[in-house]
Amino acid sequence: MYTLKRFEKVELAHIFNENNPDKRYACGFDESKYKMEKSSLKLDLSKIRIAVAKSANANSAICGICVGALYSN
Ligand SMILES: [Zn+2]
């Protein structure tokens, strides 16, 4: 399972990997330094791919590194 997460004052959304504790964000984003917004979505792979394709989450672009890791799975 993946979660698309946005944080306050962070332009890009990131994709959080629920299944990989060592690499939750492919880009190494440190969420402990930021406050998460409420708009995260729990999505399976096919659904999050659709969300990425549409950049559909609250008008935010999605981190390219996180997206690249998602598509390489
Ligand atoms: Zn990222």
Side-chain angles (χ1 to χ4, degrees):
M1 292 292 284
Y2 296 87
T3 304
L4 191 62
K5 287 189 176 183
R6 299 189 70 246
F7 296 83
E8 292 181 359
K9 301 183 176 107
V10 177
E11 185 179 353
L12 298 174
H14 297 269
I15 295 168
F16 184 83
N17 185 347
E18 310 276 358
N19 303 320
N20 189 345
D22 297 327
K23 209 171 183 183
R24 292 293 177 84
Y25 295 97
C27 60
F29 181 77
D30 183 359
E31 72 173 41
S32 69
K33 295 176 180 172
Y34 300 93
K35 187 173 181 180
M36 192 174 72
E37 294 184 338
K38 294 179 182 174
S39 58
S40 67
L41 302 168
K42 265 194 177 14
L43 297 168
D44 66 29
L45 196 56
S46 62
K47 286 182 180 174
I48 206 167
R49 280 176 170 158
I50 292 168
V52 168
K54 292 180 177 176
S55 291
N57 197 36
N59 298 320
S60 178
I62 299 166
C63 170
I65 295 171
C66 284
V67 170
L70 177 73
Y71 275 81
S72 72
N73 284 342

